[in-house]
Amino acid sequence: MSGEVPVIELRGLGKVYSPGTAAEVVALRGVDLRVARGEFLAIMGPSGSGKSTLMNLIGCLDSPSAGTYLCDGVDVATLDAAGRARLRLEKIGFVFQGFNLLSRQTALENVMMPLAYSGLPVAERAPRALAALAEVGLAERAGHRPSELSGGQQQRVAIARALINQPPLLLADEPTGALDSRTGEEILALFKRLKAGGRTVVLITHDRHVADHADRVVVMHDGEMHPDGWSPEEIAA
């Protein structure tokens, strides 16, 4: 629907660290990006390209030095620290390379954890967490701790946890980086299924093969964003 509010809208986004000093670093330069609801986008680039800085800004883990960021229609610059924390809780589900599961808690307890901050009645938390585990094909492992799960299963638990508050955006940072190639393919297939079900997925990666699973790819280089197919050699020529 053309009039639908994009999940992500960046206008001239920039980030400078230590501005005005000898240590000044321009990490992002004038990034423009729109991500529609239900899209699967990959942001690709090597180390130092600016993709991690961009991920931190999209995830409201840092603030831009310039430009505008609208997350699901909300201008992030209008929010104080508490407002940004609430936006992260309600609008963004995070998936990281290292899973970040609590070792002494079961899969179900790990998935339920964000609900403690959501205001959902206690009696409704376990059923919702079990439904999230079922969505990633892991309901039968709900009572197992991370040490009793494979790497791929741990990442599925982490994805279920990211989905638990039903956020409009799933933000995945190198989600297959700690997995073997076969398990990584299974996780990417899961992202595709989630996208097919209406989820919006933004995946950050340095790997061309991983990026090719997305509907659309953009490339970061020296803090600037370029369309898929661009290469530094082509621009230099």
Side-chain angles (χ1 to χ4, degrees):
M1 189 181 302
S2 59
E4 190 171 38
V5 173
V7 174
I8 294 173
E9 184 167 7
L10 311 180
R11 305 173 190 155
L13 210 67
K15 181 64 180 180
V16 180
Y17 293 103
S18 304
T21 72
E24 178 176 295
V25 174
V26 180
L28 284 185
R29 309 168 187 265
V31 172
D32 296 319
L33 178 67
R34 286 172 61 94
V35 181
R37 200 168 306 278
E39 185 175 3
F40 184 3
L41 172 77
I43 300 174
M44 191 177 72
S47 177
S49 63
K51 69 181 188 301
S52 294
T53 298
L54 182 59
M55 185 208 72
N56 287 337
L57 295 178
I58 291 174
C60 298
L61 301 171
D62 199 359
S63 300
S65 304
T68 302
Y69 170 30
L70 302 178
C71 180
D72 202 31
V74 177
D75 186 345
V76 175
T78 66
L79 304 176
D80 59 12
R84 290 194 298 274
R86 174 58 59 177
L87 183 141
R88 285 194 298 271
L89 179 67
E90 296 177 350
K91 303 286 189 183
I92 306 169
F94 292 92
V95 180
F96 299 104
Q97 178 175 328
F99 317 143
N100 294 352
L101 301 177
L102 298 179
S103 61
R104 295 186 178 182
Q105 294 194 338
T106 64
L108 185 68
E109 290 166 339
N110 269 283
V111 174
M112 283 197 311
M113 189 169 54
L115 296 177
Y117 307 98
S118 69
L120 189 74
V122 173
E124 297 178 25
R125 294 177 188 176
R128 181 183 288 191
L130 194 59
L133 283 169
E135 189 172 3
V136 300
L138 214 58
E140 76 284 356
R141 307 289 280 179
H144 292 255
R145 290 183 170 83
S147 62
E148 301 170 317
L149 301 173
S150 69
Q153 288 172 334
Q154 290 183 60
Q155 190 61 292
R156 287 174 183 270
V157 173
I159 292 169
R161 182 183 57 193
L163 296 172
I164 193 65
N165 281 323
Q166 302 172 348
L169 173 62
L170 191 62
L171 185 59
D173 182 21
E174 301 282 4
T176 63
L179 304 173
D180 62 73
S181 57
R182 179 179 175 180
T183 306
E185 289 291 322
E186 293 173 355
I187 293 300
L188 291 167
L190 173 58
F191 282 132
K192 288 181 179 180
R193 290 199 299 275
L194 293 170
K195 181 266 177 187
R199 306 281 186 178
T200 305
V201 181
V202 173
L203 185 152
I204 290 84
T205 184
H206 69 280
D207 188 326
R208 174 82 247 185
H209 176 72
V210 170
D212 282 342
H213 286 74
D215 299 329
R216 178 164 64 106
V217 181
V218 293
V219 179
M220 295 298 299
H221 182 74
D222 287 344
E224 297 181 341
M225 180 172 285
H226 303 273
D228 186 25
W230 173 89
S231 72
E233 294 77 14
E234 290 171 358
I235 295 299

